[in-house]
Amino acid sequence: MDAAPRLPPDPFAERVIGRCLVGKDGAPDSRFLLLHTNDLQARYSERLGGKSRFARLAGALAAERATTPNVLVLDGGDAYEKGSFAETLSSGEATREALQLLPFDARVIGNHDFAWGREQVLRDVSQSRFPVLAANIQYVPVEGKPASENPFLPYVRYRVGCVKVAVLGLVTAGFDARDEQAKGPYDTVFVHDDRYATIAKGLVEKLRPDADVIIALDHLGLFPDSQLAQRVPGIDIFISSHTEEFLENPNPVWRADGRMGYLVEAGHWTRAFGRGTVVVGPKSVSFENYKLVRLTEQTPVDDEVEKGVAAIEAKYAPKLNETIVSAGKTIPLIDLPGLVRDAFRSEEGVDGVLIGGDTFFGPIAKGPATPQSLFETFFIQREPAGTSGFTSLWKGTFTGAQLLELKSRVRGGNLRMFLPSPLVKDANYSIGISKRLREHPDVFFNAPPPLPATSFVGEQIDLVLRYAKRRAAAGKTLDGP
Ligand SMILES: [Zn+2]
């Protein structure tokens, strides 16, 4: 898995893909096949017809490559988080290795790809078999000192068949513990620049003289991309991501220079990829036969990738799909805060719990539950990057007076407060609280008072798994009495 990177010594040198064919008229073929993905979100542990989604995707891309050598395969970022629990158990390593099984020519880093912090990001980029782009991130390991050599490339250049293609990469801002975008560096060292148009414009001016096609591999979102298209002349194709839209066809957009650009985006969760022939005309670039291809049980499988994913799971998460408990009935979303409260009381002995009711990703199905199936309800989004999940659980000692004051300041939203009744002003209570609430109580309270110190307990999934095992050992279901 740790094969040495196979990047050329000069990262900006033209990489040659396929071969340039000349037609009977002596003119070089001015087309190539573009395949693109985005927001894969670590869905390698999800099986489609018994095979990993990553194996299906790799199989489909390989089948396309078998039909023509002139293929460029690009990924729009967010390969990490919200997919496999193996990622959590391996602090990101399982996803890094799974990503390396996929046959990309380049990828832009997404906001979720910073989740595991600086060392893992640097490892991801330096060990990558394909370049990782981000023109608007500077690596500044020591605050106030000049930037170090950047691990990310601002752009790469290819000759795909006869077509000269330049690909630049941009990434959106990071998220804070409110799960909202915020200014500031990723994990304190990857300084983010939000002057997307200025940066893109500078790169287009540099790249245009030697490019037939300029592609922006953006992890910005569809709307920011369409704004960028209107402000920056010269970008032919925007491979959008982050907003996870399933665009059946390229969205045409009038560019600042009066020509047409195209926005494409291929959904999320390793469900689909985009596929279209890029044609370089005398005046403009266009798509032919574009379609969004959904992965199905009929999609070809890459057996090597299937084996690779199985090996990653065996190494980092051998009990990923072992039943640990059963649910007596389906536990709907509305009952999940109560489940976290019960787990918190059972495992940490707290008197009360304050959490958001809006951070669960789906009901728990009736029947056997596994670490992976429970993780799919209690996904982790490590925000800010390099820290625990914004839904992680903490605990501390609150006085009755503090809790009463908080109760009087609730300003709505999906807050769930589980508190003893009645509250005695002078009494002390052990209270479990989510990270978003401890760091940003203003999300749910008007002018909240300073909160007491709290210490880290774990992620929601950690606590629920402990609780599930305890209940199963006692012969109980997850949800019953
Ligand atoms: Zn994103």
Side-chain angles (χ1 to χ4, degrees):
M1 290 296 164
D2 285 340
R6 282 185 259 146
L7 300 182
D10 174 7
F12 300 111
E14 186 178 78
R15 296 149 206 257
V16 176
I17 295 174
R19 57 182 184 272
C20 182
L21 301 170
V22 177
K24 280 182 188 153
D25 58 357
D29 186 8
S30 62
R31 53 188 64 210
F32 68 92
L33 183 62
L34 176 65
L35 307 175
H36 62 94
T37 57
N38 57 275
D39 299 280
L40 299 178
Q41 295 184 342
R43 294 295 163 134
Y44 45 89
S45 291
E46 187 176 320
R47 263 59 182 182
L48 181 60
K51 304 289 182 182
S52 165
R53 282 192 172 273
F54 272 32
R56 298 263 180 211
L57 176 62
L61 298 177
E64 296 284 1
R65 255 203 182 112
T67 65
T68 167
N70 298 344
V71 185
L72 185 62
V73 188
L74 301 174
D75 176 68
D78 276 1
Y80 286 76
E81 295 206 305
K82 300 195 276 181
S84 177
F85 190 43
E87 175 178 312
T88 304
L89 295 174
S90 63
S91 300
E93 194 56 13
T95 299
R96 187 191 71 77
E97 292 180 14
L99 180 57
Q100 290 303 313
L101 299 173
L102 297 176
F104 296 135
D105 293 305
R107 140 185 182 241
V108 65
I109 193 146
N111 54 299
H112 283 288
D113 302 333
F114 289 97
W116 294 97
R118 75 186 80 172
E119 277 168 30
Q120 186 64 16
V121 171
L122 292 173
R123 182 171 168 75
D124 178 329
V125 178
S126 67
Q127 298 278 319
S128 182
R129 293 187 300 114
F130 37 83
V132 185
L133 308 185
N136 64 323
I137 300 279
Q138 290 293 322
Y139 176 46
V140 185
V142 183
E143 203 182 331
K145 293 274 166 64
S148 287
E149 191 175 342
N150 207 337
F152 307 106
L153 298 179
Y155 66 90
V156 276
R157 297 188 304 120
Y158 300 91
R159 184 182 293 261
V160 191
C162 314
V163 183
K164 291 188 284 185
V165 185
V167 182
L168 62 92
L170 293 168
V171 59
T172 193
F175 285 65
D176 65 17
R178 294 170 302 172
D179 191 32
E180 288 179 15
Q181 279 194 302
K183 281 189 180 290
Y186 282 99
D187 197 20
T188 73
V189 294
F190 300 110
V191 177
H192 177 266
D193 189 336
D194 64 3
R195 294 171 302 156
Y196 308 123
T198 308
I199 293 167
K201 209 168 171 186
L203 284 173
V204 169
E205 280 164 14
K206 179 188 173 87
L207 297 168
R208 189 82 257 179
D210 199 32
D212 303 315
V213 178
I214 294 183
I215 297 175
L217 188 56
D218 281 351
H219 195 87
L220 298 179
L222 202 54
F223 182 64
D225 271 337
S226 66
Q227 287 181 315
L228 205 56
Q230 290 164 45
R231 290 179 62 192
V232 182
I235 299 175
D236 301 297
I237 297 166
F238 292 82
I239 297 182
S240 198
S241 56
H242 183 65
T243 34
E244 308 177 25
E245 303 271 356
F246 288 83
L247 290 188
E248 300 296 333
N249 290 296
N251 276 3
V253 55
W254 284 110
R255 301 190 329 209
D257 55 5
R259 294 190 177 186
M260 198 66 96
Y262 294 92
L263 303 168
V264 293
E265 189 166 358
H268 68 169
W269 298 0
T270 324
R271 294 273 195 271
F273 64 93
R275 174 200 191 282
T277 300
V278 178
V279 183
V280 183
K283 281 195 174 167
S284 64
V285 169
S286 59
F287 271 114
E288 261 178 20
N289 301 321
Y290 184 91
K291 62 178 175 179
L292 196 63
V293 182
R294 283 177 170 74
L295 303 186
T296 70
E297 296 189 3
Q298 278 68 52
T299 304
V301 173
D302 185 315
D303 291 326
E304 287 306 307
V305 175
E306 181 66 23
K307 276 188 223 157
V309 168
I312 289 166
E313 289 174 344
K315 182 170 157 193
Y316 296 114
K319 296 178 178 169
L320 192 65
N321 295 308
E322 276 183 17
T323 298
I324 52 163
V325 75
S326 267
K329 59 176 175 48
T330 294
I331 308 175
L333 281 171
I334 196 167
D335 290 344
L336 292 172
L339 177 66
V340 172
R341 170 204 59 201
D342 293 345
F344 228 141
R345 280 182 181 156
S346 159
E347 303 306 307
E348 294 289 331
V350 297
D351 304 307
V353 173
L354 305 179
I355 53 173
D358 54 348
T359 56
F360 309 100
F361 290 85
I364 295 174
K366 178 183 174 180
T370 66
Q372 176 62 31
S373 74
L374 290 172
F375 182 69
E376 286 165 17
T377 290
F378 300 102
F379 287 153
I380 301 167
Q381 299 186 75
R382 293 166 58 83
E383 295 169 351
T387 69
S388 64
F390 82 90
T391 52
S392 60
L393 301 173
W394 299 64
K395 72 172 180 178
T397 304
F398 288 59
T399 64
Q402 285 171 323
L403 294 169
L404 285 166
E405 185 170 2
L406 282 176
K407 268 183 87 170
S408 74
R409 291 174 179 274
V410 173
R411 68 163 198 212
N414 202 348
L415 172 69
R416 300 298 299 271
M417 294 181 94
F418 301 102
L419 294 175
S421 181
L423 284 165
V424 179
K425 269 189 177 178
D426 297 336
N428 284 331
Y429 298 94
S430 172
I431 298 295
I433 186 168
S434 71
K435 177 171 155 183
R436 177 173 52 167
L437 273 157
R438 77 184 277 276
E439 295 191 10
H440 298 281
D442 54 312
V443 170
F444 290 114
F445 300 103
N446 288 311
L451 300 186
T454 47
S455 55
F456 183 64
V457 170
E459 300 291 348
Q460 290 189 126
I461 184 68
D462 300 330
L463 203 67
V464 169
L465 284 175
R466 279 163 57 192
Y467 180 61
K469 285 175 190 164
R470 185 187 302 278
R471 289 192 62 91
K476 295 177 178 172
T477 60
L478 184 59
D479 51 323

